[in-house]
Amino acid sequence: MDHLYEIKIKEIWAFMKTQDSLFWLINLYLFLEYVRPLTIYPAIDVIPFTRIILILTLLIFLLRGNVTLVKNPLNSLLILYFLVILLSSMLALSPSTAFGNITDFMAWMIIYFLIINIVNSENRFFIFMFSFFLYSFKMSQFSLRNWVADGFRFMKIGSGGGVGWFNNSGEFGIQMVIFFSLSLYFFWALKDYWPLSKKVGVLLFPSSALISTVSSSSRGALLGLGGVLLVVILKSKHKFKGLLFICFASLTVLIFLPDQQIARFQTAGVDATSMNRIHLWRAGLDLIDRYPVLGVGYRNWLVALEKYHPDTIQQVCHNIFIECASELGCSGLIVFLLMIIFTFINNAQTRKLTSQGPTKNKFLFYMAHGLDGALVGYLVSGFFVTVLYYPFFWINLAMTVSLREAARKWSISLTTDTPTSVNRKISHIKRLG
C-alpha cells in the first residue's frame, strides 16, 4: 500500500492493470456519474452510457458465482427501505407516479451493492476514494473559475458545479461539504507519506471545497460546513489545535463571504425564501398526520400538495426528513434513521478494528472519521434541501460499508501475516508516527 499512499502515478497505474473488469467498470461508473462528460459534450451522448455501464457491471457480477458477498446490517436496512417504498407506492395517491420513479431508487440499491462487493479492500478503497476526490475537485475548480470571473461577488444562483446532479447551488454546496470532510481527513491520515509539494497539492482539495462552499451561495451548505467543523473539534484529541483549525477555516469563510450572503443569514427565518419553506414544512407535517404509516406515496409529494394544499407554493419540501416521512410515513422515516445510526456504528467499528493490537491503520481509521463528518454535513444541509434521492447519502452509505469491509480484512491480515511482515508493518507505522 505504501506506493499507493505516496500517490505515485506509475504505481497506481501498475495496480490498476492488475484489477479485474468489475473494478474498472465501477470506477468508470463513478466517473460518468460525477463528471457527466456525456452532458458536457452532447455529440457523444448518443446512447445511455451510464446505465449501460451499470447494467454491464451488474451482469458480470451476477455471472461470477464464486463471489463472497459482503455482509452488513445496512444491507438488510436498505432492502427494508425498498420494501417500504414498494408498499407506499401501491397505496400511493398516484401509484403511476410512484412506480414511474421507482427505478431511480432501484439504481441506488444496485450501485450500493456493487460498490460494497467490488470496492472491498484497502487498496481498492483508496483508488475509489481518490477518484472521488479528483472528480469533486473538478467541480470545485470549475466553480472557483466562475466566481473569480465574476469578481468574487454574491451570486444568487451560486457558482455551480457544472452539469448533472450538482448544477444547483444547494446540491453543489452539499457535495463540497462532503468533499471537504473526506479530503481533510485523507490529508491528515497520509500527509507523512508526501513531500512538501504533494502536501500542498492535496491541501488544494479541502481548501477548494471550503471556498466553493462559500461560492455556492447556499445557506444550508454553510450550516453543513459548520456541522463538519463541529465534528472535527469533537473528534480531535488535541482540542487546542482543533480549535485553531476551526478558527482558521471560519476566518477563511468570513474573508470570502460576500456582504449579501451575510445579509441573507441575518434575515433567515423572516425572508421570503425562509417563509416559503416554513409553509412547505407545515404542509409536510400535515401530510404526515394524514398518512402516518406509509405516507402519501413514494415521489407523491407534489401530487399530495396539489390535493391538500393547493394554495401553498408548489415546490419540493426542502427537507429530507419531511420528504421521507410525508412520502413513506413513519415506517420509512424509522428505517432511514436506522440507516443513519448504523452508518455511525459501522464507522466506529472500523476505527476499533484499525486501532487494535501493536499497529494502527491511519488511513482506514481517519477515513471513518471523514465519513462521519460527511454524513453530519449532509444531514445538516439536507434539513433545508430536498436531496434524499441524490447520490450523497447512498454513496456515503456504500463507502461506509466498503471501508468497514476493508478494515475487517486488514484486521484479519494481522493474524495471518508472518512475523517478519508484521515487524515490517510495525516499523513502518512507527516511522509514520
Side-chain angles (χ1 to χ4, degrees), residues 16 22-31 127-128 131 135:
M16 288 297 296
L22 283 174
F23 188 60
W24 278 92
L25 286 170
I26 201 66
N27 277 281
L28 179 58
Y29 161 77
L30 188 73
F31 170 76
I127 295 294
F128 193 77
S131 299
Y135 307 151

Side-chain angles (χ1 to χ4, degrees), residues 56-73:
L56 180 61
T57 309
L58 178 62
L59 286 175
I60 294 175
F61 180 80
L62 292 175
L63 288 173
R64 293 189 178 181
N66 59 343
V67 178
T68 302
L69 298 179
V70 172
K71 297 179 180 179
N72 195 287

Side-chain angles (χ1 to χ4, degrees), residues 48-96:
F49 283 103
T50 306
R51 289 188 177 271
I52 289 173
I53 291 298
L54 185 60
I55 293 171
L56 180 61
T57 309
L58 178 62
L59 286 175
I60 294 175
F61 180 80
L62 292 175
L63 288 173
R64 293 189 178 181
N66 59 343
V67 178
T68 302
L69 298 179
V70 172
K71 297 179 180 179
N72 195 287
L74 280 169
N75 299 356
S76 300
L77 287 173
L78 188 64
I79 294 172
L80 182 59
Y81 190 79
F82 179 57
L83 291 177
V84 173
I85 287 178
L86 286 176
L87 290 172
S88 175
S89 299
M90 288 187 286
L91 300 174
L93 295 177
S94 173
S96 60

Side-chain angles (χ1 to χ4, degrees), residues 91-360:
L91 300 174
L93 295 177
S94 173
S96 60
T97 301
F99 284 108
N101 289 280
I102 205 166
T103 54
D104 295 341
F105 182 76
M106 291 175 65
W108 289 127
M109 279 187 64
I110 293 170
I111 292 162
Y112 166 86
F113 282 106
L114 287 174
I115 289 176
I116 68 170
N117 286 289
I118 297 172
V119 188
N120 55 3
S121 64
E122 182 180 357
N123 44 21
R124 286 190 169 193
F125 183 86
F126 174 86
I127 295 294
F128 193 77
M129 182 61 73
F130 192 70
S131 299
F132 179 84
F133 292 157
L134 291 177
Y135 307 151
S136 299
F137 183 63
K138 176 194 173 296
M139 297 180 211
S140 66
Q141 58 84 27
F142 172 84
S143 169
L144 288 175
R145 287 207 315 268
N146 288 345
W147 203 30
V148 170
D150 205 51
F152 293 103
R153 292 183 300 176
F154 172 74
M155 302 171 70
K156 187 174 181 181
I157 61 172
S159 54
V163 295
W165 292 109
F166 315 107
N167 185 50
N168 181 276
S169 63
E171 285 81 348
F172 168 67
I174 295 175
Q175 177 63 19
M176 290 300 100
V177 169
I178 292 171
F179 179 33
F180 174 76
S181 177
L182 292 173
S183 60
L184 181 66
Y185 278 102
F186 178 86
F187 175 82
W188 282 339
L190 300 179
K191 57 184 174 61
D192 292 325
Y193 281 92
W194 308 319
L196 180 60
S197 59
K198 281 189 179 178
K199 288 180 181 178
V200 173
V202 176
L203 267 178
L204 289 176
F205 290 168
S207 301
S208 65
L210 185 70
I211 299 173
S212 294
T213 304
V214 178
S215 75
S216 72
S217 300
S218 169
R219 287 179 291 189
L222 283 173
L223 290 173
L225 179 64
V228 173
L229 293 176
L230 181 61
V231 168
V232 169
I233 194 169
L234 289 176
K235 287 177 173 288
S236 176
K237 292 182 178 179
H238 308 285
K239 300 298 182 185
F240 182 70
K241 289 183 179 179
L243 184 60
L244 285 178
F245 172 77
I246 288 179
C247 290
F248 171 77
S250 301
L251 181 61
T252 302
V253 170
L254 288 174
I255 289 172
F256 285 97
L257 198 65
D259 292 338
Q260 295 93 327
Q261 185 75 330
I262 296 175
R264 290 188 74 210
F265 273 100
Q266 292 172 339
T267 59
V270 295
D271 63 333
T273 301
S274 300
M275 294 307 298
N276 283 337
R277 291 187 180 183
I278 290 173
H279 289 313
L280 288 166
W281 293 352
R282 287 174 178 167
L285 294 175
D286 175 66
L287 295 178
I288 297 168
D289 185 58
R290 291 174 182 269
Y291 297 88
V293 180
L294 289 170
V296 297
Y298 172 69
R299 293 298 201 179
N300 269 236
W301 165 265
L302 290 176
V303 175
L305 206 62
E306 184 178 358
K307 179 177 180 178
Y308 293 107
H309 298 275
D311 297 331
T312 302
I313 184 170
Q314 301 295 294
Q315 289 184 353
V316 291
C317 62
H318 295 286
N319 184 296
I320 56 174
F321 300 102
I322 291 178
E323 178 185 14
C324 179
S326 61
E327 292 188 347
L328 304 179
C330 294
S331 304
L333 181 62
I334 289 171
V335 180
F336 179 56
L337 293 175
L338 284 174
M339 286 191 287
I340 293 171
I341 292 169
F342 273 88
T343 297
F344 290 123
I345 290 174
N346 266 265
N347 289 328
Q349 291 172 341
T350 295
R351 290 189 291 271
K352 184 177 180 180
L353 285 168
T354 54
S355 59
Q356 290 178 343
T359 63
K360 179 178 179 178

Side-chain angles (χ1 to χ4, degrees), residues 396-409:
N396 184 281
L397 204 68
M399 286 180 172
T400 295
V401 177
S402 289
L403 184 67
R404 169 67 172 76
E405 178 65 10
R408 185 188 70 84
K409 288 184 176 179

